[in-house]
Amino acid sequence: MGIQRSKRYWIGFDLGGTKMMAALFDDKLHKRSVVRKKTRAQEGSAAGIRRMGDMIETVLEEGGVSRRMLGGIGVGCPGPLDLKQGVLLEAANLGWRKVPLRQALERRFHRPVTVMNDVDAGVYGEYRCGAARKSRCVVGVFPGTGIGGGCVYEGRIITGARSTCFEIGHCPVVPEGALCGCGRRGCLETVASRLAIAAAAVEAAYRGHAPHLMALCGTDLAAVRSSALAESIRRGDKAIESIVRRAAQWLGVGISTAVNLMAPDTVLLGGGLVEAMPALYREEVEQSTRQHLMDALVKSFKVVVARLGDDAGVTGAASWAMEQSSRSGEHR
Ligand SMILES: [Zn+2]
């Protein structure tokens, strides 16, 4: 090869329960091409991995990049994971168990593959290119069906030795509270997740306190999406507004614990609920978090809303793969 180090490219992959996305980035993290597909998890993990590989081939082709120019692949996926081995241990929403993602993709592409938690990928993406750029410590919290959390500290994603960490959704906040999906009581998710909000919203609709929500989606829990909640508030459902505000305040209670432990300079909020109601969330979470902190920490951080949307996961996965490669000094 010539003296000049040739330019390299990176794949970021976001494996979700219903959809997956692959994107190709250059060294400057500019996106060159992108492919989206339905996950079709019910077809099994072997077919899933093949489809993932095919998508990677497609983005390389569409980006005009040969395999030889590929530096590495980063995959963000739902947990729990064995980070060291790159194995997806169990994904409830995919129905997959013990899937050796890293091994399978390395065999096909002969390039280093980094498997990471999807929330970590999103937080890292916002840290590299989005709302949390240049922060020293970012605590990211993504309320959705559950509540995901992740932390980037001085450029590194904080993890356990083998698995991910920052499970803020399962921090207990209500003694003897409602039953959580994890089997314990009173976790943050039981009062601040979209599921908790939807349950309270459906009850309000049933009682006749939320006519706009009733008109939008009736009392079907699964139909109460973030966009429906936002729309019913916009149309004037005060009961729904107070339910969402209370949930956002609870989120602040959970986040105050993280601020006490990590003293971040940036608290990053993202996910469907926050995207649908960014101002409400930023305001309530900021106020509630500060209210639950000791004086020394009250003004130590800012609250920002994620701005990369769907791109956060693929950007984070690709840039973390790039970062891992430069740390390990691999220049193949
Ligand atoms: Zn829990």
Side-chain angles (χ1 to χ4, degrees):
M1 294 299 290
I3 300 161
Q4 200 179 11
R5 209 179 88 212
S6 55
K7 198 170 165 150
R8 291 197 301 172
Y9 296 84
W10 307 86
I11 298 276
F13 200 101
D14 185 8
L15 172 62
T18 53
K19 55 189 178 166
M20 44 191 194
M21 177 173 172
L24 179 72
F25 294 85
D26 65 17
D27 279 339
K28 302 260 185 315
L29 291 176
H30 295 131
K31 195 167 57 173
R32 301 262 303 207
S33 55
V34 60
V35 177
R36 293 179 177 82
K37 273 194 190 328
K38 288 210 172 87
T39 302
R40 294 204 222 138
Q42 72 285 356
E43 290 175 5
S45 59
I49 288 175
R50 251 193 324 274
R51 281 160 55 77
M52 289 171 73
D54 294 347
M55 285 170 71
I56 292 170
E57 304 265 13
T58 308
V59 283
L60 285 172
E61 216 168 281
E62 285 180 2
V65 168
S66 72
R67 277 190 189 200
R68 206 174 46 77
M69 293 151 83
L70 182 61
I73 299 169
V75 183
C77 50
L81 309 167
D82 181 330
L83 294 171
K84 238 177 181 160
Q85 304 296 327
V87 174
L88 174 59
L89 295 175
E90 191 175 355
N93 56 353
L94 292 167
W96 296 1
R97 283 176 62 89
K98 295 209 171 139
V99 183
L101 278 177
R102 193 179 85 193
Q103 191 192 55
L105 291 174
E106 283 187 348
R107 244 180 223 164
R108 179 158 172 182
F109 292 95
H110 307 289
R111 280 291 177 270
V113 174
T114 305
V115 174
M116 64 199 296
N117 173 266
D118 52 0
V119 179
D120 287 344
V123 176
Y124 191 70
E126 293 285 346
Y127 162 74
R128 287 298 296 267
C129 304
R133 269 188 78 180
K134 302 199 165 130
S135 300
R136 175 173 177 270
C137 173
V138 190
V139 163
V141 180
F142 291 64
T145 311
I147 298 174
C151 182
V152 173
Y153 194 91
E154 292 185 344
R156 275 185 183 271
I157 297 171
I158 295 189
T159 67
R162 294 186 77 93
S163 63
T164 56
C165 65
F166 240 82
E167 291 289 354
I168 195 168
H170 298 288
C171 288
V173 291
V174 187
E176 304 302 313
L179 196 61
C180 180
C182 73
R184 280 170 295 276
R185 288 191 175 275
C187 298
L188 183 60
E189 283 192 10
T190 65
V191 285
S193 67
R194 188 171 56 75
L195 193 58
I197 293 170
V202 161
E203 192 177 324
Y206 183 81
R207 287 186 173 149
H209 297 162
H212 299 294
L213 188 75
M214 191 65 159
L216 284 163
C217 44
T219 55
D220 176 6
L221 193 69
V224 183
R225 313 290 309 176
S226 305
S227 52
L229 292 164
E231 180 60 19
S232 87
I233 292 172
R234 207 185 56 75
R235 292 187 193 174
D237 276 344
K238 290 288 171 211
I240 302 302
E241 181 171 347
S242 80
I243 287 167
V244 177
R245 284 192 185 275
R246 203 172 330 124
Q249 288 160 12
W250 273 117
L251 204 60
V253 173
I255 290 171
S256 70
T257 299
V259 173
N260 271 321
L261 295 176
M262 304 303 301
D265 49 347
T266 306
V267 170
L268 168 75
L269 301 175
L273 281 165
V274 175
E275 267 172 37
M277 296 165 272
L280 182 158
Y281 264 89
R282 221 192 64 82
E283 179 189 317
E284 291 293 347
V285 167
E286 181 164 351
Q287 216 170 64
S288 163
T289 305
R290 295 196 199 286
Q291 208 170 37
H292 291 93
L293 285 170
M294 52 184 188
D295 289 349
L297 290 169
V298 165
K299 290 190 172 147
S300 64
F301 63 95
K302 61 179 190 287
V303 178
V304 299
V305 169
R307 60 166 184 242
L308 298 181
D310 278 354
D311 278 357
V314 287
T315 305
S319 54
W320 184 242
M322 187 194 314
E323 182 64 20
Q324 296 295 95
S325 160
S326 70
R327 275 181 208 277
S328 64
E330 279 171 357
H331 292 295
R332 303 188 206 181

